[in-house]
Amino acid sequence: MYRTDPANTDSDSTTTRHDGDRTLLSAIVEAVAAETGRDPLELDPLYDALDAAALERVVAPDRDTGSLAGRLRFRFESCEVTVTGDGRVTARS
């Protein structure tokens, strides 16, 4: 599930959290839609912007330690999107 975290929403960025009920890709789309003020269905397909399998590998827990240290930053729909291993997805316009 993802949700917009009101404590982390300001005029410069929108942060959501991904906790497993929905896909990480859905959380990214939701954050970008909220940040740009657009309907998620109006956005370009996310799979055209990045490799979903690679994203999951980068932010997945480390097999040996279980730590969630991965981080990936990319551009999508005029936003800089940051995805971290702890489930945070931040879109900044």
Side-chain angles (χ1 to χ4, degrees):
M1 184 171 143
Y2 58 85
R3 65 185 181 285
T4 301
D5 184 349
N8 290 321
T9 301
D10 58 36
S11 61
D12 294 329
S13 68
T14 300
T15 299
T16 62
R17 286 209 173 262
H18 165 70
D19 65 17
D21 287 344
R22 296 208 182 202
T23 68
L24 180 54
L25 298 180
S26 294
I28 294 168
V29 169
E30 179 68 17
V32 171
E35 181 64 16
T36 61
R38 295 172 58 195
D39 185 291
L41 297 176
E42 295 175 352
L43 301 177
D44 289 335
L46 183 57
Y47 59 82
D48 286 347
L50 77 132
D51 180 331
L55 172 65
E56 294 287 347
R57 285 191 303 273
V58 168
V59 298
D62 182 275
R63 288 184 199 182
D64 297 327
T65 66
S67 69
L68 301 169
R71 175 181 293 218
L72 181 68
R73 185 174 293 152
F74 60 95
R75 300 236 11 120
F76 177 60
E77 291 287 343
S78 76
C79 290
E80 179 180 277
V81 179
T82 304
V83 180
T84 60
D86 65 358
R88 255 183 321 195
V89 177
T90 302
R92 183 179 308 276
S93 55

